[in-house]
Amino acid sequence: METLYRRLLRLMPRMGVQVTDLGPGTAVVSRRGGPARIPLQPGADLLASGAGRYSVTRAGKGTWVVLDKKAQKAAQSPGKWTDVRLGDTGAHLLMTESATADERRFQLAAGEYLCSQHVAGMLAAYEVNCVFDVGANAGQYAKRLRRFGYTGRILSFEPTADAFSRLERASADDPEWHVHHFALGREETTQSIHTGWNSMNSLLPPSDYGRGRYKRFAKTQTEEIQIRRLDGVIEKALDGIADPRPYLKMDTQGYDLEVFAGAGERIADFVGLQSEVAALRLYEGSPEMSEAIALYERSGFGITGMYPVTREESTGRVVEFDCVMMRADAAPSKG
């Protein structure tokens, strides 16, 4: 004898409703032309909106990639997917041959992701509640922090007019993200900064190596900017935080040690830092990587991660690293 449940399922299509039967006691009811069932393997089905719109590619045991056919065609079809296990973490990396064809680009993209993930982990582990984002440009770093789960205060410093206007717009809807239209350095002063190099504006002129690497350095514009010391702004920046645990990120195109010097004795307040250190110097007067790291280490910071930022295409040499360092004695005690 037909059950009431089965009778209703049979009648619904007559009322303009589509029924996708998933098995005993389970069904999806939708408007006609809604979800359809696409078999994957025995015991595993995919519910998709419009059966003809999607392609399903197996990417390893129990793993499938679902692609919108129009988007796939527009992207010139990524080809065969490879499922790579990430050690014993339980995580998997899905890759295509086209994605890994350019080894340098793939490695740098992976490095950026891993660096952001590592920083987020350190901020959580050290209970950081205020990040000083020095050399913020249009807010890319702060936005990555938010995507990786950091919810504390962010202080972004950007001196150039064009980048600061974009930074203001990016931070407008985030009440815990404060932006400041000046640079940080060793002295309180005004100075000309080189602009027109995309995101590579610098207070330092390009080196011979830099001019050989980047054609953009051939032409430059300048802009008068204000520079302040970090130890002169830190008190106000931390106002309202009961137990401040600040972190200092610097990306100032060769000027990081000047920012660091401007912290004076207040550098001891920071539980960690991140600095772009140069293996091959792009700017005249910028410190060597060994000099920068040695100074940070003498101030109590230890390396927790090094990630390539740029590499020479012809030789593979790393030009700059993102160096993440934490103060071991600032790590919260476990129990």
Side-chain angles (χ1 to χ4, degrees), residues 299-315:
S299 300
F301 299 94
I303 297 174
T304 62
M306 293 277 285
Y307 302 90
V309 177
T310 51
R311 280 170 49 192
E312 289 183 333
E313 191 168 358
S314 58
T315 69

Side-chain angles (χ1 to χ4, degrees), residues 130-134 155 157 230 234 237-238 246-249 270:
C130 186
V131 173
F132 286 71
D133 171 23
V134 185
L155 285 303
F157 300 86
L230 179 53
I234 187 171
L238 298 176
Y247 176 87
L248 176 61
K249 167 264 180 182
F270 289 85

